Amino acid sequence: MCEIHMTKAEARRFILYKQGLLGEHRFRGKDGVLAFVRQAGCVQFDPIDVCGKSPEITLQARVAGFTKTMLYELLYEDRKLVDYFDKNLAILPVEDWKYFGRERENHRSWEKSHQEIRLVHDRIVAEIAERGPLCSADLDIPDKVDWYWSETKLSRAALEHMYFCGELAVHHKRGNMKYYDLIRNCIPKEIVDAPEPWPEDAAYLEWRVLRRIGAVGLLWNRASDAWLGIPSQYNSFKAKERSEVFAGLLDKGLILPVKVEGIDHTLYCRAEDGEIAEIIRENAFKKQRCEFIAPLDSMMWDRNLIKVIFGFDYKWEIYTPQSQRKYGYYVLPILFGDGLVGRIEMTYDRKSRQLNVLHIWYEPGVRVTKKLESGIKSALKRFEIFNGS
């Protein structure tokens, strides 16, 4: 087994290169959006829009010329991407739909307010078949039921349940309002009807873990938000299960151990990414890009790992009471070159089409040079254009 040795600086560049955040852009335009999502497996979704939604911010940091329209078209016109659950709610390549049959089957067998939903199921199918894509407000079903976060309309719960089960797909959105259509109208029949690629649970879990390692670049066998959404016989993906999966991946030669100077725990990369270690050693990457990183960016999925490798302690404080926040409501890490040099809080005023910078905090020890100031100024200009797209 080939063991890779790195310094922390090399580990930083390894992750950034894998993420498409080091040196010149590797992802460009609409094809670049699709290529990155396929590489990452998924882009985590969140509907909050302060200065762009998290998946949009993730893509604008990597894809030269990215516009929000590109993502919308790939989801709801080209149908090459699809909304579903992977790393929690996410956007994934449509061809990966077949891998999540277990999750859909679990929802078919049980759901909150399952009996009430069953009573309106056939009616909703018939209405969508006759009228086309519908949202919950289009259905004359005034009843309320218990749902995952609180009481909600039965129409909404039923549509979401049928979406979780794979009977419906999100056809399009207006703002955050989802319009659902029958799955056969949104995803090709050969994908919907494809057999389960991993009938054995062990192989399936190996695929999920390998996918997450590839999404971040380097990961360790430790408890982490990077494993969220992976099914488990426990409430979360526990150490015993993880260790069995890592052992299987190592035995098959699908991952490589990575020893990073100054870090006690072994990290791992996908075997196919081992060549990145040589690429980062052989290239200077003179271009120092400045990018704003999304709160749910795949690079940030394991914040303890980021703290150890980048020396950057990040918490998304959106759910922290205002009086307890150290920084702000929606704060983004600032990447410059191969370091996380600070954090920025911005809002975008859609009426005036203006980006407002509320705060910039630089990390201790960071020298605010003319190059850094110029990089941030350029990134802000691109970010304002992106928000207007």
Side-chain angles (χ1 to χ4, degrees), residues 288-292 334-336 341-344 346 355 357 360-362 366 368-383:
Q288 288 185 296
R289 278 167 57 185
C290 183
E291 306 288 359
F292 305 132
I334 302 171
L335 174 70
F336 183 66
V341 298
R343 51 202 90 202
I344 186 167
M346 298 174 280
L355 185 70
V357 178
I360 295 179
W361 300 268
Y362 292 104
V366 169
V368 185
T369 63
K370 288 184 178 180
K371 275 190 174 182
L372 175 55
E373 289 181 328
S374 176
I376 290 176
K377 185 177 179 180
S378 177
L380 285 169
K381 185 174 181 60
R382 295 195 313 274
F383 208 74

Side-chain angles (χ1 to χ4, degrees), residues 19-261:
Q19 292 283 343
L21 290 168
L22 187 65
E24 299 292 341
H25 284 84
R26 297 207 320 275
F27 302 103
R28 295 182 175 274
K30 198 169 172 181
D31 288 342
V33 174
L34 188 57
F36 175 72
V37 178
R38 283 175 171 160
Q39 171 187 288
C42 75
V43 176
Q44 191 170 350
F45 180 81
D46 187 87
I48 295 169
D49 190 347
V50 175
C51 54
K53 296 175 183 175
S54 190
E56 297 167 342
I57 298 171
T58 296
L59 291 165
Q60 71 81 35
R62 294 162 170 80
V63 181
F66 173 76
T67 66
K68 297 176 184 180
T69 303
M70 292 177 184
L71 181 58
Y72 189 92
E73 289 175 353
L74 285 165
L75 277 163
Y76 307 123
E77 295 176 14
D78 305 336
R79 306 285 174 190
K80 292 183 178 179
L81 298 175
V82 65
D83 301 285
Y84 200 62
F85 292 88
D86 185 348
K87 172 65 165 60
N88 294 343
L89 188 57
I91 294 167
L92 52 143
V94 70
E95 61 267 23
D96 286 0
W97 175 263
K98 59 184 178 288
Y99 292 106
F100 296 91
R102 281 173 174 77
E103 283 72 14
R104 294 190 286 272
E105 186 57 39
N106 287 339
H107 283 288
R108 291 186 195 108
S109 61
W110 183 87
E111 200 79 82
K112 276 183 179 289
S113 303
H114 196 86
Q115 290 301 115
E116 294 93 332
I117 289 170
R118 286 181 61 188
L119 291 174
V120 298
H121 173 276
D122 292 350
R123 172 186 165 184
I124 291 174
V125 170
E127 287 209 37
I128 292 176
E130 180 182 350
R131 298 167 58 191
L134 300 176
C135 68
S136 60
D138 294 327
L139 296 166
D140 185 19
I141 305 175
D143 310 62
K144 297 250 181 123
V145 294
D146 289 332
W147 201 228
Y148 286 95
W149 50 90
S150 65
E151 186 180 67
T152 194
K153 291 171 63 177
L154 174 56
S155 57
R156 178 181 181 181
L159 286 169
E160 290 187 355
H161 167 70
M162 294 163 72
Y163 163 65
F164 298 163
C165 293
E167 295 179 70
L168 303 179
V170 177
H171 180 272
H172 67 279
K173 292 180 182 178
R174 290 180 186 165
N176 285 327
M177 180 65 75
K178 303 180 187 74
Y179 286 75
Y180 296 93
D181 199 357
L182 302 177
I183 194 72
R184 64 173 180 261
N185 295 330
C186 299
I187 296 180
K189 186 177 186 300
E190 61 270 20
I191 294 177
V192 173
D193 294 342
E196 176 70 49
W198 306 113
E200 300 297 327
D201 287 344
Y204 176 66
L205 287 175
E206 286 179 1
W207 177 79
R208 293 295 297 267
V209 169
L210 189 63
R211 182 180 173 89
R212 296 292 171 86
I213 294 171
V216 179
L218 293 174
L219 271 177
W220 45 22
N221 178 12
R222 301 186 70 189
S224 166
D225 282 356
W227 312 124
L228 288 176
I230 295 179
S232 170
Q233 59 180 309
Y234 309 104
N235 290 328
S236 60
F237 196 42
K238 297 291 187 181
K240 182 176 183 296
E241 282 181 299
R242 278 199 324 272
S243 295
E244 290 172 356
V245 173
F246 270 84
L249 291 171
L250 279 167
D251 188 56
K252 294 177 178 69
L254 295 174
I255 58 174
L256 299 175
V258 178
K259 293 289 189 180
V260 178
E261 184 181 355

Side-chain angles (χ1 to χ4, degrees), residues 135 263 265:
C135 68
I263 298 178
H265 294 275

